[in-house]
Amino acid sequence: MKIHLTSVFVDDQEKALRFYTDVLGFVKKHDVPLGADRWLTVVSPEDPEGTELLLEPSGHPAVQPYKTALVQDGIPAASFSVDDVRSEFERLRDLGVHFTQEPVEMGSLTTAILDDTCGNLIQIVHSK
């Protein structure tokens, strides 16, 4: 068994698509109209047939309190692996990305947490 699809709830799908592709570097996989919303997924360009990330609309009434609580407590909604957190931190910061946690070493892991501009905190991580 392996993970095929996971999701993050986003406030604006078009804005999220721009951030996740233009800034983070993912590529669009599916974009299917579903009334006012879309089935909108992105994947890593390094693994186009791998796990898809659904940029899911935040329309359900339970979503906003959930997202607000996670952000207030500094809890990331998702975690993405990178080759080098410090270099990715610098690249993204130079693009104007706001980080709520700069790179921190925790044993064999280095992490940083960024704001995805769509209501989520996202962790980037690499292991030694």
Side-chain angles (χ1 to χ4, degrees):
M1 188 176 304
K2 63 181 182 176
I3 298 170
H4 169 71
L5 176 82
T6 190
S7 64
V8 291
F9 292 107
V10 297
D11 299 336
D12 179 319
Q13 285 186 300
E14 191 58 38
K15 181 179 177 185
L17 180 61
R18 285 192 306 272
F19 183 82
Y20 280 79
T21 57
D22 296 346
V23 178
L24 295 185
F26 291 99
V27 293
K28 182 170 57 173
K29 174 89 178 205
H30 296 288
D31 189 352
V32 180
L34 297 172
D37 298 316
R38 298 145 65 183
W39 179 264
L40 183 59
T41 67
V42 295
V43 294
S44 169
E46 298 169 18
D47 191 10
E49 299 306 315
T51 305
E52 295 178 47
L53 178 66
L54 174 63
L55 304 176
E56 190 161 0
S58 295
H60 189 281
V63 172
Q64 202 54 52
Y66 169 74
K67 286 174 56 175
T68 299
L70 289 180
V71 170
Q72 286 177 347
D73 290 345
I75 300 171
S79 182
F80 303 141
S81 176
V82 297
D83 290 333
D84 182 329
V85 167
R86 292 190 186 284
S87 64
E88 192 65 9
F89 167 80
E90 305 244 346
R91 180 186 80 80
L92 293 171
R93 188 184 56 188
D94 289 348
L95 291 173
V97 173
H98 171 71
F99 280 81
T100 61
Q101 176 198 299
E102 294 193 6
V104 173
E105 290 186 28
M106 295 181 273
S108 63
L109 299 176
T110 302
T111 67
I113 300 174
L114 61 94
D115 179 338
D116 78 349
T117 74
C118 302
N120 302 290
L121 298 179
I122 301 295
Q123 180 181 65
I124 57 173
V125 61
H126 81 255
S127 59
K128 295 178 187 175

